[in-house]
Amino acid sequence: SPPSWQVADQTSALQQTPDIKVLIQALVAQSSWRAGNSLVILFSRAPSDTSDGSRSASSGRSGLIPQLHITYQTVSALDRVSTQFCEETLSTGFSFLTSSDLELSDDIDYGPQRVGLRFDTITIPPRATIVSAFIQFECDELSQEALTLRVFGGRIVAPASFTRNSYDLTTRTGTEAYALWSPPPW
C-alpha cells in the first residue's frame, strides 16, 4: 500500500500524479497543436472506484499552485503553474472558480465533482516526443480514505477559459488517453 500523507501543506513525491505523458502526447500530436497553446487536465473518480475517498489539494489561494512538469525531446523540461482551476459539482453542474482548495473527487458539502486545471502558454513544439509529465500538488487537508482518480486531458487544442456556465467541465470533450491515480492518504 502507498505511504500515507500525514502532514498538511506537504509537497513531495506523495502528492504527484503518475506519469501522464500519454495525455500530453495525445494533445501535442494533434495537427492543430501550436507551441504557446493552453491545455486542460481533468480529474474525476475512476469508474471502477466505489470508495468515499477524496483528496484536498491547495488551489494556490492559500498555498502552492498545482504545477505541470513536462520533459520532452529537444528541450530538457517545461514547468508551468496552473493559471486557472475549476471544481464542478456533478449533480448540479455548478462551477466554483474561486475555491480555497481543490477537492479531488468529492466535496464534503456538494458531493461528487470533477476538477479541471488549465495551464497557459505551453511551449512544446508540435509532435514533440513527451518523455515524462506529472502534476505536483500540495496537501491542503488530511484524508485517509482509498481513492482512484481518472486523469485525462481536454481534447480541444487551445481550450477556452473555465466559466461559471452549468456543466462547463463535463461538456468538454476529454482525451481517450488517461492515467489512473490512486493517491496515498494525505
Side-chain angles (χ1 to χ4, degrees):
S1 138
S4 295
W5 289 23
Q6 298 295 325
V7 180
D9 301 325
Q10 180 179 33
T11 302
S12 73
L14 298 176
Q15 290 84 29
Q16 287 178 6
T17 64
D19 194 341
I20 58 172
K21 69 181 177 185
V22 65
L23 311 178
I24 307 302
Q25 189 70 65
L27 295 170
V28 303
Q30 295 182 62
S31 61
S32 56
W33 177 263
R34 298 291 177 263
N37 282 352
S38 299
L39 63 81
V40 168
I41 303 294
L42 302 167
F43 296 81
S44 65
R45 183 178 299 280
S48 61
D49 184 88
T50 59
S51 73
D52 292 328
S54 187
R55 295 295 178 276
S56 179
S58 174
S59 66
R61 302 270 187 244
S62 60
L64 180 74
I65 296 172
Q67 297 178 342
L68 175 64
H69 300 266
I70 302 172
T71 302
Y72 59 98
Q73 289 180 352
T74 71
V75 175
S76 61
L78 170 70
D79 294 336
R80 284 288 180 260
V81 172
S82 175
T83 56
Q84 188 184 25
F85 64 87
C86 181
E87 293 177 291
E88 179 185 283
T89 303
L90 296 180
S91 62
T92 65
F94 185 81
S95 296
F96 296 89
L97 302 177
T98 58
S99 178
S100 63
D101 61 5
L102 301 173
E103 302 295 343
L104 298 172
S105 180
D106 285 352
D107 184 283
I108 195 165
D109 296 321
Y110 301 102
Q113 63 180 19
R114 178 171 285 181
V115 172
L117 302 175
R118 185 172 182 270
F119 298 90
D120 283 338
T121 319
I122 303 299
T123 57
I124 300 170
R127 294 176 209 60
T129 300
I130 306 302
V131 176
S132 68
F134 64 89
I135 296 172
Q136 177 70 57
F137 289 98
E138 177 184 71
C139 173
D140 183 62
E141 297 172 14
L142 302 179
S143 178
Q144 298 298 312
E145 299 90 9
L147 172 68
T148 300
L149 295 168
R150 184 174 182 260
V151 184
F152 54 106
R155 178 175 262 160
I156 302 299
V157 171
S161 295
F162 298 133
T163 69
R164 292 192 187 278
N165 294 341
S166 293
Y167 298 103
D168 182 39
L169 292 182
T170 53
T171 57
R172 293 174 184 242
T173 303
T175 57
E176 291 180 24
Y178 66 91
L180 292 178
W181 179 32
S182 297
W186 78 56

